[in-house]
Amino acid sequence: ALVCRATCLLLDVRGSDGALLVAGKTWTGFANSEEAFADAAVGRRIQPFWIEDEARRLPGTNFVVDQAFRAFAVRDGLLVTGQQQYSGTAAAQLVIDALGR
């Protein structure tokens, strides 16, 4: 199973065949509502782009989010993703499930 806490990396990762790693997959990452909250907290834009916006532009993928700052993780095959920092336990459980334990 592949675990990635830096969802933004998944926007560009490609396999040896050149296809996006997330092609045909359901996955998650930081939500726009979380980005907006973080930006407001510091009084400026933190990231040059928002992950949810960029992920939804990728054809052939299904980017999903749940409520802001609540544990949420998704497994699609061997790809395991968590929405944000509160999703570590949920993502770890999905990895354990993927390993068949």
Side-chain angles (χ1 to χ4, degrees), residues 14-25:
R14 296 183 180 274
S16 60
D17 63 355
L20 285 170
L21 178 69
V22 294
K25 300 287 187 184

Side-chain angles (χ1 to χ4, degrees), residues 2 25-29 62 64-65 72-83 87 90-91 94:
L2 172 65
K25 300 287 187 184
T26 296
W27 57 297
T28 191
N62 183 33
V64 295
V65 297
F72 180 64
V74 174
R75 175 183 170 205
D76 189 335
L78 296 179
L79 178 67
V80 175
T81 52
Q83 185 168 315
S87 303
L94 292 176

Side-chain angles (χ1 to χ4, degrees), residues 41-98:
V42 298
R44 65 178 181 85
R45 183 123 184 184
I46 298 170
Q47 300 295 333
F49 60 88
W50 287 1
I51 293 167
E52 182 177 351
D53 286 341
E54 296 301 314
R56 292 191 187 279
R57 288 186 181 102
L58 295 174
T61 74
N62 183 33
F63 187 83
V64 295
V65 297
D66 200 3
Q67 296 178 26
F69 300 110
R70 295 194 57 183
F72 180 64
V74 174
R75 175 183 170 205
D76 189 335
L78 296 179
L79 178 67
V80 175
T81 52
Q83 185 168 315
Q84 34 44 23
Q85 67 270 25
Y86 301 109
S87 303
T89 299
Q93 185 60 56
L94 292 176
V95 171
I96 291 167
D97 294 346

